[in-house]
Amino acid sequence: MSKDLHVRSTDKFSFGLWTVGNRGRDPFGEAVRPKIEVSDMLRGLADIGVYGVSFHDDDLMTFGASEPQRRAELDAFKKDLEATGLKCTMATTNLFYHPVFKDGAFTSNDPQVRKYAIQKVMRNLDVAAELGAPVYVFWGGREGVESPTAKDTRDALSRYAEALDFLAGYVKDKGYDIKFALEPKPNEPRGDIYLPTVGHALAFIETLQHSEMVGVNPEVAHETMSGLSFYQGVAQAIWQGKLFHIDLNDQRIGRFDQDFRFGSEGIKDHFFLVRLLENSGYEGVKHFDAHAYRTEDVEGVWDFARGCIRNYLAFAEKAREFDADPRVAEAMAYTGVAELAVPTVGPYTPEAAAGLMAETFDVDTLAKRGFGIEKLDQLAVDHILGIA
Ligand code: GLT
Ligand code: MN
Ligand code: MN
Protein backbone atom coordinates (compact mmCIF):
# COMPACT_ATOMS: atom_id res chain seq x y z
CA MET A 1 0.00 0.00 0.00
CA SER A 2 1.23 3.50 -0.77
CA LYS A 3 2.44 5.59 2.11
CA ASP A 4 0.45 8.67 3.13
CA LEU A 5 2.41 11.92 2.88
CA HIS A 6 0.86 15.11 4.18
CA VAL A 7 1.35 18.69 3.03
CA ARG A 8 2.57 20.87 5.90
CA SER A 9 1.48 24.50 6.28
CA THR A 10 5.08 25.56 5.70
CA ASP A 11 5.31 23.77 2.36
CA LYS A 12 3.81 26.57 0.25
CA PHE A 13 3.33 24.69 -2.99
CA SER A 14 2.11 26.61 -6.00
CA PHE A 15 1.16 25.91 -9.61
CA GLY A 16 0.86 28.15 -12.66
CA LEU A 17 -2.56 28.41 -14.27
CA TRP A 18 -0.88 27.27 -17.50
CA THR A 19 0.38 24.04 -15.91
CA VAL A 20 -2.75 22.17 -14.89
CA GLY A 21 -4.38 24.20 -17.67
CA ASN A 22 -2.01 22.74 -20.29
CA ARG A 23 -4.07 21.10 -23.03
CA GLY A 24 -1.28 19.02 -24.52
CA ARG A 25 -0.61 21.12 -27.63
CA ASP A 26 2.85 20.61 -29.08
CA PRO A 27 4.58 21.65 -32.32
CA PHE A 28 3.30 18.47 -33.96
CA GLY A 29 -0.24 18.21 -32.70
CA GLU A 30 -3.24 20.06 -31.44
CA ALA A 31 -4.87 20.09 -28.01
CA VAL A 32 -5.84 16.69 -26.61
CA ARG A 33 -7.65 17.79 -23.45
CA PRO A 34 -10.63 20.06 -22.84
CA LYS A 35 -10.18 23.48 -21.28
CA ILE A 36 -10.44 23.46 -17.48
CA GLU A 37 -12.17 26.59 -16.20
CA VAL A 38 -10.02 28.71 -13.88
CA SER A 39 -12.49 28.27 -11.03
CA ASP A 40 -12.31 24.47 -11.41
CA MET A 41 -8.52 24.62 -11.50
CA LEU A 42 -8.39 26.60 -8.28
CA ARG A 43 -10.82 24.28 -6.55
CA GLY A 44 -8.84 21.23 -7.68
CA LEU A 45 -5.56 22.75 -6.54
CA ALA A 46 -6.96 23.77 -3.15
CA ASP A 47 -8.27 20.21 -2.70
CA ILE A 48 -4.79 18.72 -3.03
CA GLY A 49 -3.18 21.08 -0.51
CA VAL A 50 -1.78 23.78 -2.78
CA TYR A 51 -0.98 27.18 -1.25
CA GLY A 52 -0.84 29.50 -4.22
CA VAL A 53 -1.20 30.07 -7.94
CA SER A 54 0.63 32.09 -10.55
CA PHE A 55 -0.57 33.51 -13.86
CA HIS A 56 0.37 35.28 -17.07
CA ASP A 57 -1.71 38.35 -17.89
CA ASP A 58 -3.24 36.50 -20.85
CA ASP A 59 -4.14 33.40 -18.79
CA LEU A 60 -6.48 35.56 -16.78
CA MET A 61 -7.61 38.42 -18.95
CA THR A 62 -8.33 37.86 -22.62
CA PHE A 63 -5.64 39.38 -24.84
CA GLY A 64 -6.81 42.68 -26.29
CA ALA A 65 -10.05 42.73 -24.24
CA SER A 66 -11.71 46.02 -23.29
CA GLU A 67 -11.15 47.48 -19.82
CA PRO A 68 -14.61 46.41 -18.53
CA GLN A 69 -14.03 42.84 -19.74
CA ARG A 70 -10.56 42.71 -18.16
CA ARG A 71 -12.04 44.01 -14.91
CA ALA A 72 -14.81 41.39 -14.96
CA GLU A 73 -12.32 38.57 -15.60
CA LEU A 74 -10.01 39.82 -12.87
CA ASP A 75 -12.86 40.19 -10.38
CA ALA A 76 -14.01 36.64 -11.11
CA PHE A 77 -10.49 35.40 -10.38
CA LYS A 78 -10.36 37.35 -7.12
CA LYS A 79 -13.62 35.74 -6.08
CA ASP A 80 -12.24 32.28 -6.86
CA LEU A 81 -9.11 33.01 -4.85
CA GLU A 82 -11.21 34.11 -1.92
CA ALA A 83 -13.51 31.09 -2.16
CA THR A 84 -10.61 28.62 -2.20
CA GLY A 85 -8.25 30.46 0.15
CA LEU A 86 -5.45 30.24 -2.43
CA LYS A 87 -2.92 33.08 -2.61
CA CYS A 88 -1.63 34.69 -5.74
CA THR A 89 2.08 33.99 -5.30
CA MET A 90 3.57 35.07 -8.63
CA ALA A 91 2.62 36.98 -11.74
CA THR A 92 4.26 37.19 -15.15
CA THR A 93 3.69 38.54 -18.63
CA ASN A 94 3.05 36.65 -21.81
CA LEU A 95 5.66 38.23 -24.07
CA PHE A 96 5.99 35.22 -26.35
CA TYR A 97 2.70 33.99 -27.85
CA HIS A 98 1.43 36.82 -30.03
CA PRO A 99 3.17 37.21 -33.44
CA VAL A 100 4.12 40.76 -32.48
CA PHE A 101 6.83 39.23 -30.26
CA LYS A 102 8.36 37.00 -32.94
CA ASP A 103 11.63 38.99 -32.88
CA GLY A 104 11.61 39.47 -29.13
CA ALA A 105 9.88 41.78 -26.67
CA PHE A 106 12.38 43.94 -24.74
CA THR A 107 15.01 43.04 -27.35
CA SER A 108 12.99 43.23 -30.56
CA ASN A 109 14.75 45.27 -33.22
CA ASP A 110 11.53 47.26 -33.54
CA PRO A 111 11.38 50.03 -30.89
CA GLN A 112 7.58 50.16 -31.09
CA VAL A 113 7.41 46.48 -30.11
CA ARG A 114 9.87 47.12 -27.27
CA LYS A 115 7.71 49.95 -25.93
CA TYR A 116 4.56 47.87 -26.27
CA ALA A 117 6.21 45.03 -24.32
CA ILE A 118 7.17 47.34 -21.47
CA GLN A 119 3.67 48.79 -21.38
CA LYS A 120 2.17 45.26 -21.30
CA VAL A 121 4.29 44.47 -18.25
CA MET A 122 3.35 47.76 -16.52
CA ARG A 123 -0.34 46.98 -16.95
CA ASN A 124 0.11 43.53 -15.46
CA LEU A 125 2.26 44.85 -12.62
CA ASP A 126 -0.80 46.87 -11.60
CA VAL A 127 -2.79 43.62 -11.58
CA ALA A 128 -0.05 41.77 -9.68
CA ALA A 129 -0.04 44.48 -7.02
CA GLU A 130 -3.83 44.35 -6.73
CA LEU A 131 -3.64 40.57 -6.23
CA GLY A 132 -0.80 40.84 -3.72
CA ALA A 133 1.70 38.81 -5.76
CA PRO A 134 5.13 39.28 -4.13
CA VAL A 135 7.18 38.07 -7.12
CA TYR A 136 7.09 39.02 -10.79
CA VAL A 137 8.81 36.60 -13.18
CA PHE A 138 10.53 37.48 -16.44
CA TRP A 139 10.97 34.54 -18.76
CA GLY A 140 12.39 35.88 -21.99
CA GLY A 141 11.46 33.05 -24.29
CA ARG A 142 11.53 35.23 -27.42
CA GLU A 143 14.50 37.35 -26.34
CA GLY A 144 17.16 35.89 -28.57
CA VAL A 145 18.18 35.00 -32.10
CA GLU A 146 18.53 32.25 -34.63
CA SER A 147 21.12 34.19 -36.60
CA PRO A 148 23.78 36.24 -34.81
CA THR A 149 23.73 38.67 -37.74
CA ALA A 150 20.29 39.87 -36.67
CA LYS A 151 21.29 41.57 -33.41
CA ASP A 152 24.36 42.85 -31.67
CA THR A 153 24.14 40.92 -28.39
CA ARG A 154 25.63 43.87 -26.51
CA ASP A 155 22.83 46.14 -27.72
CA ALA A 156 20.23 43.49 -26.92
CA LEU A 157 21.51 43.15 -23.37
CA SER A 158 21.48 46.93 -22.99
CA ARG A 159 17.82 47.06 -24.09
CA TYR A 160 17.01 44.14 -21.76
CA ALA A 161 18.62 45.97 -18.84
CA GLU A 162 16.95 49.25 -19.83
CA ALA A 163 13.51 47.59 -19.79
CA LEU A 164 14.10 46.01 -16.39
CA ASP A 165 15.46 49.26 -14.94
CA PHE A 166 12.43 51.13 -16.23
CA LEU A 167 10.03 48.54 -14.81
CA ALA A 168 11.81 48.46 -11.45
CA GLY A 169 11.48 52.26 -11.42
CA TYR A 170 7.76 51.87 -12.06
CA VAL A 171 7.36 49.41 -9.16
CA LYS A 172 9.26 51.71 -6.80
CA ASP A 173 7.40 54.80 -7.95
CA LYS A 174 4.04 53.07 -7.38
CA GLY A 175 5.18 51.75 -4.01
CA TYR A 176 4.42 48.14 -4.96
CA ASP A 177 5.89 45.41 -2.76
CA ILE A 178 7.08 43.29 -5.69
CA LYS A 179 10.42 41.72 -6.53
CA PHE A 180 11.57 40.59 -9.96
CA ALA A 181 12.85 37.09 -10.75
CA LEU A 182 14.59 36.38 -14.07
CA GLU A 183 14.08 32.89 -15.46
CA PRO A 184 16.98 31.61 -17.58
CA LYS A 185 16.62 29.18 -20.46
CA PRO A 186 19.20 28.26 -23.12
CA ASN A 187 16.96 27.83 -26.16
CA GLU A 188 13.38 27.05 -27.27
CA PRO A 189 11.54 28.82 -28.68
CA ARG A 190 14.52 30.88 -29.94
CA GLY A 191 17.64 29.20 -31.29
CA ASP A 192 19.61 31.05 -28.63
CA ILE A 193 17.94 32.85 -25.76
CA TYR A 194 19.65 35.70 -23.89
CA LEU A 195 20.47 34.96 -20.24
CA PRO A 196 20.69 31.22 -21.00
CA THR A 197 21.69 29.97 -17.55
CA VAL A 198 21.44 30.89 -13.88
CA GLY A 199 25.06 32.03 -14.03
CA HIS A 200 24.44 34.43 -16.92
CA ALA A 201 21.41 35.84 -15.14
CA LEU A 202 23.20 36.34 -11.82
CA ALA A 203 26.00 38.23 -13.54
CA PHE A 204 23.55 40.36 -15.56
CA ILE A 205 21.55 41.28 -12.46
CA GLU A 206 24.59 42.96 -10.94
CA THR A 207 24.56 45.46 -13.83
CA LEU A 208 21.00 46.60 -13.11
CA GLN A 209 20.09 49.91 -11.51
CA HIS A 210 17.92 48.30 -8.83
CA SER A 211 19.76 45.01 -8.59
CA GLU A 212 18.63 44.55 -4.98
CA MET A 213 15.07 43.90 -6.12
CA VAL A 214 16.03 41.45 -8.88
CA GLY A 215 16.78 37.77 -8.35
CA VAL A 216 16.38 34.53 -10.28
CA ASN A 217 13.68 31.96 -10.91
CA PRO A 218 15.66 28.86 -11.94
CA GLU A 219 13.80 25.98 -13.59
CA VAL A 220 14.93 22.36 -13.34
CA ALA A 221 14.24 21.69 -17.02
CA HIS A 222 16.09 24.73 -18.30
CA GLU A 223 19.42 24.18 -16.52
CA THR A 224 19.21 20.49 -17.32
CA MET A 225 18.73 21.29 -21.03
CA SER A 226 22.09 23.08 -20.81
CA GLY A 227 23.64 19.99 -19.28
CA LEU A 228 24.23 21.85 -16.03
CA SER A 229 23.57 20.77 -12.48
CA PHE A 230 20.39 22.44 -11.29
CA TYR A 231 21.46 21.84 -7.72
CA GLN A 232 24.67 23.85 -8.17
CA GLY A 233 22.87 26.74 -9.85
CA VAL A 234 20.27 26.92 -7.11
CA ALA A 235 22.92 26.66 -4.39
CA GLN A 236 24.82 29.61 -5.84
CA ALA A 237 21.63 31.65 -6.18
CA ILE A 238 20.90 30.99 -2.50
CA TRP A 239 24.47 31.90 -1.56
CA GLN A 240 24.07 35.22 -3.39
CA GLY A 241 20.70 35.88 -1.74
CA LYS A 242 19.04 35.74 -5.16
CA LEU A 243 16.72 32.74 -5.06
CA PHE A 244 13.43 34.65 -5.23
CA HIS A 245 11.33 31.86 -6.78
CA ILE A 246 11.86 28.37 -8.22
CA ASP A 247 10.28 26.38 -11.05
CA LEU A 248 10.16 22.71 -10.17
CA ASN A 249 9.63 20.10 -12.86
CA ASP A 250 11.70 17.42 -14.51
CA GLN A 251 13.72 16.90 -17.64
CA ARG A 252 16.01 14.44 -19.42
CA ILE A 253 19.31 15.96 -20.45
CA GLY A 254 19.68 16.90 -24.12
CA ARG A 255 15.97 16.87 -24.92
CA PHE A 256 13.38 19.53 -25.75
CA ASP A 257 11.85 21.38 -22.79
CA GLN A 258 9.86 18.49 -21.34
CA ASP A 259 8.37 20.08 -18.18
CA PHE A 260 7.72 16.65 -16.67
CA ARG A 261 6.18 15.93 -13.28
CA PHE A 262 8.61 16.93 -10.51
CA GLY A 263 10.63 13.94 -9.34
CA SER A 264 9.75 11.69 -12.25
CA GLU A 265 13.25 11.63 -13.77
CA GLY A 266 16.19 12.97 -11.75
CA ILE A 267 15.63 11.11 -8.52
CA LYS A 268 19.08 11.59 -6.96
CA ASP A 269 19.37 15.22 -8.13
CA HIS A 270 15.99 16.00 -6.63
CA PHE A 271 16.80 14.38 -3.32
CA PHE A 272 19.73 16.78 -2.94
CA LEU A 273 17.75 19.73 -4.34
CA VAL A 274 14.89 19.27 -1.87
CA ARG A 275 17.37 18.75 0.96
CA LEU A 276 19.02 22.04 -0.02
CA LEU A 277 15.71 23.93 -0.16
CA GLU A 278 14.59 22.46 3.16
CA ASN A 279 17.86 23.07 4.99
CA SER A 280 18.76 26.46 3.53
CA GLY A 281 15.87 28.39 5.02
CA TYR A 282 14.44 29.20 1.57
CA GLU A 283 11.09 30.78 2.35
CA GLY A 284 9.66 31.30 -1.12
CA VAL A 285 7.02 29.16 -2.73
CA LYS A 286 7.78 25.81 -4.29
CA HIS A 287 6.30 26.43 -7.71
CA PHE A 288 5.56 23.57 -10.07
CA ASP A 289 6.00 24.66 -13.67
CA ALA A 290 5.22 21.40 -15.39
CA HIS A 291 2.39 19.68 -17.16
CA ALA A 292 0.89 16.24 -17.60
CA TYR A 293 2.04 13.96 -20.41
CA ARG A 294 0.14 14.54 -23.64
CA THR A 295 -1.36 11.07 -23.26
CA GLU A 296 -3.46 12.18 -20.27
CA ASP A 297 -7.06 13.20 -19.89
CA VAL A 298 -8.26 15.57 -17.15
CA GLU A 299 -8.03 12.83 -14.53
CA GLY A 300 -4.40 12.33 -15.54
CA VAL A 301 -3.80 16.05 -15.01
CA TRP A 302 -4.75 15.69 -11.36
CA ASP A 303 -2.62 12.53 -11.04
CA PHE A 304 0.23 14.65 -12.40
CA ALA A 305 -0.38 17.51 -9.93
CA ARG A 306 -0.64 15.16 -6.96
CA GLY A 307 2.52 13.41 -8.14
CA CYS A 308 4.55 16.65 -8.10
CA ILE A 309 3.56 17.32 -4.50
CA ARG A 310 3.94 13.73 -3.39
CA ASN A 311 7.45 13.49 -4.78
CA TYR A 312 8.53 16.73 -3.12
CA LEU A 313 7.19 15.52 0.23
CA ALA A 314 8.86 12.14 -0.22
CA PHE A 315 12.25 13.73 -0.96
CA ALA A 316 11.83 16.03 2.05
CA GLU A 317 11.13 13.02 4.27
CA LYS A 318 14.08 11.09 2.86
CA ALA A 319 16.31 14.12 3.39
CA ARG A 320 15.25 14.36 7.04
CA GLU A 321 15.95 10.66 7.55
CA PHE A 322 19.34 11.03 5.88
CA ASP A 323 20.28 14.00 8.07
CA ALA A 324 19.14 12.18 11.23
CA ASP A 325 21.13 9.03 10.47
CA PRO A 326 24.16 8.80 12.84
CA ARG A 327 26.10 6.87 10.18
CA VAL A 328 25.68 9.85 7.90
CA ALA A 329 26.96 12.23 10.59
CA GLU A 330 29.97 9.99 11.08
CA ALA A 331 30.65 9.70 7.36
CA MET A 332 30.29 13.44 6.91
CA ALA A 333 32.75 14.09 9.71
CA TYR A 334 35.21 11.76 7.99
CA THR A 335 34.69 13.56 4.70
CA GLY A 336 35.19 16.91 6.40
CA VAL A 337 31.95 18.54 5.30
CA ALA A 338 31.85 20.88 8.29
CA GLU A 339 35.52 21.77 7.90
CA LEU A 340 34.71 23.63 4.69
CA ALA A 341 32.57 26.04 6.71
CA VAL A 342 35.65 27.21 8.61
CA PRO A 343 37.50 30.17 7.02
CA THR A 344 40.88 29.24 5.54
CA VAL A 345 43.07 32.26 6.19
CA GLY A 346 40.57 34.95 7.15
CA PRO A 347 40.76 38.49 5.77
CA TYR A 348 44.05 39.69 4.37
CA THR A 349 46.49 41.45 6.68
CA PRO A 350 50.25 41.73 6.16
CA GLU A 351 50.68 39.73 9.40
CA ALA A 352 48.38 36.95 8.22
CA ALA A 353 50.28 36.82 4.94
CA ALA A 354 53.60 36.61 6.76
CA GLY A 355 52.21 33.92 9.06
CA LEU A 356 51.00 31.87 6.11
CA MET A 357 54.33 32.26 4.34
CA ALA A 358 56.08 30.90 7.44
CA GLU A 359 53.97 27.73 7.54
CA THR A 360 55.21 24.45 6.09
CA PHE A 361 53.00 21.79 4.58
CA ASP A 362 53.63 18.08 4.43
CA VAL A 363 52.19 17.71 0.96
CA ASP A 364 52.83 13.96 0.72
CA THR A 365 50.93 13.26 3.92
CA LEU A 366 48.11 15.60 2.87
CA ALA A 367 47.89 13.84 -0.47
CA LYS A 368 47.39 10.46 1.21
CA ARG A 369 44.06 11.42 2.75
CA GLY A 370 41.03 9.55 1.48
CA PHE A 371 37.79 11.50 1.80
CA GLY A 372 35.36 8.60 2.21
CA ILE A 373 32.90 10.02 -0.27
CA GLU A 374 31.98 6.64 -1.77
CA LYS A 375 30.69 5.56 1.63
CA LEU A 376 28.85 8.82 2.22
CA ASP A 377 27.25 8.91 -1.20
CA GLN A 378 26.16 5.28 -0.91
CA LEU A 379 24.37 6.16 2.32
CA ALA A 380 22.46 8.81 0.34
CA VAL A 381 21.61 6.26 -2.35
CA ASP A 382 20.53 3.76 0.33
CA HIS A 383 18.19 6.37 1.81
CA ILE A 384 16.77 7.29 -1.59
CA LEU A 385 16.16 3.62 -2.41
CA GLY A 386 14.66 2.97 1.01
CA ILE A 387 17.27 0.36 1.97
CA ALA A 388 19.27 2.40 4.54
C1 GLT B 1 6.32 29.09 -20.28
C2 GLT B 1 7.74 28.67 -19.94
C3 GLT B 1 7.99 28.62 -18.49
C4 GLT B 1 7.90 29.94 -17.83
C5 GLT B 1 6.54 30.52 -17.86
C6 GLT B 1 6.57 31.93 -17.36
S1 GLT B 1 5.74 30.39 -19.36
O1 GLT B 1 5.44 28.02 -20.07
O2 GLT B 1 7.99 27.41 -20.55
O3 GLT B 1 9.21 28.03 -18.18
O4 GLT B 1 8.19 29.77 -16.47
O5 GLT B 1 6.44 32.87 -18.37
MN1 MN C 1 9.35 28.02 -15.96
MN1 MN D 1 10.23 24.67 -19.07
Side-chain angles (χ1 to χ4, degrees):
M1 208 186 96
S2 296
K3 185 171 176 169
D4 275 345
L5 295 168
H6 301 285
V7 177
R8 303 154 300 179
S9 59
T10 48
D11 279 323
K12 292 210 263 179
F13 294 123
S14 65
F15 280 84
L17 291 184
W18 66 93
T19 64
V20 277
N22 178 286
R23 299 184 57 195
R25 256 185 223 104
D26 72 14
F28 305 97
E30 59 183 65
V32 292
R33 292 186 279 270
K35 182 175 191 284
I36 308 179
E37 293 304 327
V38 172
S39 52
D40 293 334
M41 273 192 237
L42 297 199
R43 213 166 319 117
L45 289 170
D47 283 349
I48 60 172
V50 169
Y51 171 85
V53 285
S54 57
F55 70 98
H56 297 89
D57 48 359
D58 302 345
D59 300 336
L60 212 56
M61 295 154 294
T62 309
F63 182 89
S66 65
E67 264 320 307
Q69 188 184 337
R70 277 169 61 88
R71 174 45 57 192
E73 288 169 336
L74 178 55
D75 284 346
F77 183 61
K78 284 169 81 174
K79 265 208 185 112
D80 292 332
L81 284 176
E82 227 174 77
T84 52
L86 288 172
K87 304 264 181 295
C88 176
T89 47
M90 183 269 269
T92 185
T93 332
N94 188 324
L95 296 174
F96 47 89
Y97 197 79
H98 194 282
V100 72
F101 299 124
K102 61 183 176 233
D103 184 47
F106 303 150
T107 64
S108 169
N109 285 1
D110 188 330
Q112 286 298 105
V113 173
R114 299 202 296 267
K115 280 187 175 180
Y116 171 65
I118 294 172
Q119 186 204 64
K120 195 169 190 282
V121 178
M122 286 163 63
R123 292 181 80 197
N124 202 43
L125 278 166
D126 295 343
V127 174
E130 182 177 335
L131 294 173
V135 176
Y136 204 92
V137 162
F138 292 85
W139 172 68
R142 297 279 173 202
E143 315 289 7
V145 285
E146 286 69 42
S147 168
T149 55
K151 294 178 201 291
D152 183 323
T153 304
R154 294 164 298 178
D155 289 335
L157 291 173
S158 294
R159 298 291 75 74
Y160 213 147
E162 179 192 3
L164 291 167
D165 286 346
F166 191 90
L167 291 164
Y170 183 71
V171 165
K172 283 189 170 273
D173 191 27
K174 290 276 174 177
Y176 295 156
D177 191 10
I178 293 177
K179 285 179 173 181
F180 292 173
L182 310 186
E183 180 176 341
K185 188 174 184 183
N187 57 272
E188 199 189 319
R190 297 310 297 260
D192 280 299
I193 296 178
Y194 299 130
L195 310 182
T197 67
V198 170
H200 289 82
L202 287 172
F204 173 78
I205 288 168
E206 294 310 310
T207 71
L208 299 176
Q209 205 182 341
H210 302 288
S211 59
E212 76 292 344
M213 61 176 274
V214 187
V216 288
N217 175 42
E219 173 174 312
V220 175
H222 300 174
E223 296 303 292
T224 308
M225 285 168 76
S226 298
L228 296 173
S229 157
F230 187 65
Y231 175 92
Q232 300 298 346
V234 170
Q236 185 171 338
I238 291 174
W239 179 69
Q240 293 190 215
K242 290 296 189 190
L243 188 68
F244 288 5
H245 199 266
I246 192 163
D247 277 2
L248 301 173
N249 56 16
D250 224 327
Q251 173 77 28
R252 295 266 285 276
I253 223 164
R255 305 285 166 97
F256 65 95
D257 185 25
Q258 293 174 308
D259 294 334
F260 284 157
R261 183 175 83 259
F262 179 70
S264 57
E265 291 288 339
I267 309 288
K268 184 178 178 186
D269 294 349
H270 289 356
F271 166 80
F272 285 110
L273 171 70
V274 170
R275 179 168 177 262
L276 173 68
L277 292 176
E278 294 292 299
N279 294 351
S280 67
Y282 169 70
E283 284 179 348
V285 288
K286 268 94 73 170
H287 180 249
F288 297 110
D289 182 12
H291 54 76
Y293 301 143
R294 190 162 184 268
T295 49
E296 302 309 290
D297 56 13
V298 172
E299 204 177 311
V301 169
W302 294 110
D303 289 335
F304 144 81
R306 276 192 297 268
C308 288
I309 293 176
R310 181 169 174 79
N311 290 341
Y312 187 97
L313 294 172
F315 288 123
E317 187 173 302
K318 295 279 178 195
R320 282 193 298 275
E321 286 169 11
F322 176 75
D323 285 326
D325 183 341
R327 294 168 304 162
V328 170
E330 197 182 315
M332 280 194 169
Y334 191 87
T335 297
V337 176
E339 286 172 58
L340 188 57
V342 178
T344 312
V345 288
Y348 180 85
T349 61
E351 296 71 32
L356 180 59
M357 275 303 202
E359 284 195 44
T360 53
F361 299 92
D362 182 349
V363 176
D364 291 333
T365 304
L366 288 174
K368 284 201 185 103
R369 175 174 175 181
F371 286 85
I373 300 172
E374 286 286 358
K375 190 173 180 181
L376 178 57
D377 185 78
Q378 187 56 43
L379 279 166
V381 173
D382 281 1
H383 275 278
I384 295 167
L385 296 179
I387 55 169

